[in-house]
Amino acid sequence: MQARYRYRFYPTDQQKQALAKTFGCTRYVWNEALAHCQAVGKYVGYNALSKRLTGLKQSLEWLKEVSSVALQQSLRQLDQAYRRFFEKKGGFPQFKKKQSKQSDAFSVEGKCVYLAKIGNIKPIWSRALPSQPSSVTVIKDCAGRYFVSFVVEVSPSKLPAQSPSIGVDLGVKTFATTSDGAQYHSPNSGPLYRRITQLQKQLARRVKGSKRWERTRLRIAKLHARIADRRLDFLHKLSTKLTCENQVVCLEDLNVSGMLKNRKLSKAISRQGWGMFRSLCEAKGDKHGREVRVINRWEATSQYCSQCGWHWGKLDLATRVVVCDGCGAVHDRDENASRNVEQVGMGRRPTLKRTWRLCKPGLSAAVDEASRIPCLVATQRCRD
Ligand SMILES: [Zn+2]
């Protein structure tokens, strides 16, 4: 199976310029091709666009200054975007703006990575690559950090699980409560958010596009990147723990977009990263040979007693502890819900609707992607 390995690197000023140029050219090629298709009124196909690119290069000298493979790749990505749209898997391809672009070409030699027309870069090898990479992507996030991301082949691990199943209840106050009674809190980023609010006021007072404005923008972007890094780290650790230790992980299918309509909760919910947690669990379940089951969102897991099945009905969000009228047991609200999630997922609950489905993970290689941060992304086939 495929996985992504990402490493940070620090380009020289010269390389930064060359990278910026490549990012700019690939963006131009993408936008130009998209505009052409829109003008014609249909998608003309990769081959026709590729021929057009050859023509463009004759008239636009500056397109020749960057790696031609990167430009081809940009068209290939547009081709994929159109395909996804035709297969109803994605929206219509969008024009690329300056803050969100792509580029570049490579080969790995010892500790260096050679990028065509950029030169050698030295990534910080925080861990060894498990195999020869099949493609590389150069990413620049809006906090100004550079990364190379390799797609590598990894063999799935087959460690035996310690426990047969676990249910997970996701919440706002406590990120996750599991059916074995453990609680997991996401990192507290409150102070960082308060600092962002201050800086955003400052940004509003600056002249847009000025040096001071840019400086403040970068500071805000760095804080956002830090929050995202911390959250992603937490989600990675938790999903690894749950999928390694349990054979079956049962999750709830949360109606996140519906919940975001609740104005009082929307901020807190959008900061949680439930969707990311689920995709991480699915990818890791695949990697470790575990099952991830997602139960129906209409399953009322907080309305039943997990011991006797007594139905006490809807609870107010403020109610944290429930005493069961049926058997007298005292339940923590979230823990009770997570037990119900587990029982529904394992099919042990005839009283409930017993609905769950097995999750088919998407491309697990995409899991690592910093999709929330506007990126400069580049994909390139390995030369050998
Ligand atoms: Zn009960």
Side-chain angles (χ1 to χ4, degrees):
M1 60 179 290
Q2 290 190 322
R4 267 192 190 279
Y5 276 52
R6 197 159 79 144
Y7 304 91
R8 182 143 187 206
F9 74 100
Y10 298 87
T12 62
D13 286 351
Q14 221 174 357
Q15 286 172 338
K16 272 185 199 166
Q17 274 180 16
L19 282 169
K21 210 185 265 177
T22 319
F23 289 141
C25 287
T26 50
R27 180 171 72 236
Y28 174 81
V29 167
W30 168 292
N31 286 344
E32 209 279 335
L34 186 55
H36 172 70
C37 291
Q38 288 188 353
V40 177
K42 63 166 188 172
Y43 179 56
V44 295
Y46 172 76
N47 290 336
L49 287 177
S50 183
K51 263 190 206 132
R52 254 177 66 79
L53 177 63
T54 321
L56 272 180
K57 277 172 135 180
Q58 302 301 321
S59 51
L60 302 167
E61 279 295 311
W62 45 270
L63 276 182
K64 289 183 194 161
E65 290 171 27
V66 303
S67 155
S68 59
V69 211
L71 301 180
Q72 294 286 346
Q73 203 60 39
S74 187
L75 290 181
R76 198 151 276 146
Q77 280 171 354
L78 180 63
D79 187 56
Q80 276 167 6
Y82 263 107
R83 266 164 216 270
R84 284 179 63 80
F85 171 69
F86 292 143
E87 288 164 15
K88 297 211 163 62
K89 281 185 198 153
F92 193 77
Q94 298 284 307
F95 284 102
K96 289 186 182 288
K97 284 179 270 162
K98 203 180 171 195
Q99 296 287 342
S100 60
K101 266 8 73 121
Q102 59 231 59
S103 145
D104 236 302
F106 91 114
S107 65
V108 183
E109 286 148 19
K111 293 203 162 174
C112 281
V113 178
Y114 174 78
L115 301 170
K117 305 226 175 167
I118 307 286
N120 281 319
I121 54 159
K122 270 191 202 153
I124 313 293
W125 298 105
S126 45
R127 56 177 173 169
L129 279 172
S131 62
Q132 192 66 16
S134 62
S135 89
V136 75
T137 302
V138 177
I139 300 167
K140 185 191 175 200
D141 68 11
C142 59
R145 300 178 299 178
Y146 291 83
F147 300 94
V148 272
S149 171
F150 299 98
V151 173
V152 287
E153 201 59 38
V154 290
S155 46
S157 72
K158 286 278 176 268
L159 278 171
Q162 293 156 14
S163 130
S165 67
I166 198 162
V168 184
D169 177 68
L170 300 176
V172 173
K173 214 172 147 216
T174 314
F175 178 80
T177 310
T178 53
S179 50
D180 55 11
Q183 289 192 334
Y184 301 92
H185 294 269
S186 46
N188 174 20
S189 300
L192 292 175
Y193 276 117
R194 280 196 287 281
R195 183 81 189 111
I196 287 176
T197 316
Q198 282 174 357
L199 285 171
Q200 240 140 17
K201 280 184 201 152
Q202 200 184 73
L203 188 73
R205 290 195 298 266
R206 302 265 191 252
V207 180
K208 203 176 171 189
S210 68
K211 273 191 178 171
R212 289 180 169 196
W213 178 86
E214 178 57 26
R215 206 152 58 208
T216 310
R217 188 201 66 79
L218 192 65
R219 277 165 85 186
I220 294 173
K222 279 185 177 166
L223 285 171
H224 274 300
R226 192 148 141 227
I227 293 169
D229 285 351
R230 279 168 52 151
R231 181 170 39 203
L232 191 61
D233 178 62
F234 165 76
L235 296 177
H236 265 299
K237 283 176 180 160
L238 182 59
S239 55
T240 304
K241 184 177 153 62
L242 292 178
T243 45
C244 278
E245 289 176 0
N246 304 283
Q247 186 55 43
V248 180
V249 180
C250 306
L251 300 173
E252 265 178 304
D253 181 10
L254 293 160
N255 177 9
V256 176
S257 49
M259 289 168 101
L260 286 177
K261 284 183 193 134
N262 181 337
R263 282 223 235 121
K264 276 187 194 157
L265 284 177
S266 65
K267 220 182 212 174
I269 290 169
S270 61
R271 287 173 183 177
Q272 292 289 322
W274 288 336
M276 178 58 99
F277 178 69
R278 194 171 123 189
S279 24
L280 286 174
C281 282
E282 285 162 9
K284 286 177 188 182
D286 206 29
K287 185 176 163 192
H288 299 294
R290 310 286 196 247
E291 233 174 75
V292 176
R293 292 176 182 181
V294 174
I295 69 162
N296 191 301
R297 80 167 57 140
W298 305 115
E299 203 67 64
T301 49
S302 59
Q303 300 184 10
Y304 289 86
C305 171
S306 59
Q307 274 176 28
C308 66
W310 180 271
H311 185 217
W312 54 60
K314 245 186 157 166
L315 292 179
D316 192 79
L317 262 185
T319 319
R320 306 315 309 174
V321 177
V322 193
V323 182
C324 176
D325 297 332
C327 64
V330 182
H331 295 293
D332 173 82
R333 178 207 175 97
D334 295 334
E335 205 182 314
N336 181 56
S338 66
R339 289 216 179 99
N340 279 330
V341 170
E342 184 188 4
Q343 288 173 1
V344 175
M346 299 309 288
R348 285 192 221 124
R349 262 328 250 288
T351 51
L352 299 190
K353 284 167 227 160
R354 221 194 318 172
T355 35
W356 59 269
R357 60 192 165 76
L358 195 59
C359 259
K360 279 274 160 272
L363 175 65
S364 42
V367 157
D368 244 351
E369 210 73 287
S371 53
R372 261 167 304 184
I373 320 157
C375 290
L376 293 143
V377 184
T379 327
Q380 183 50 58
R381 289 265 122 205
C382 184
R383 282 172 164 190
D384 41 42

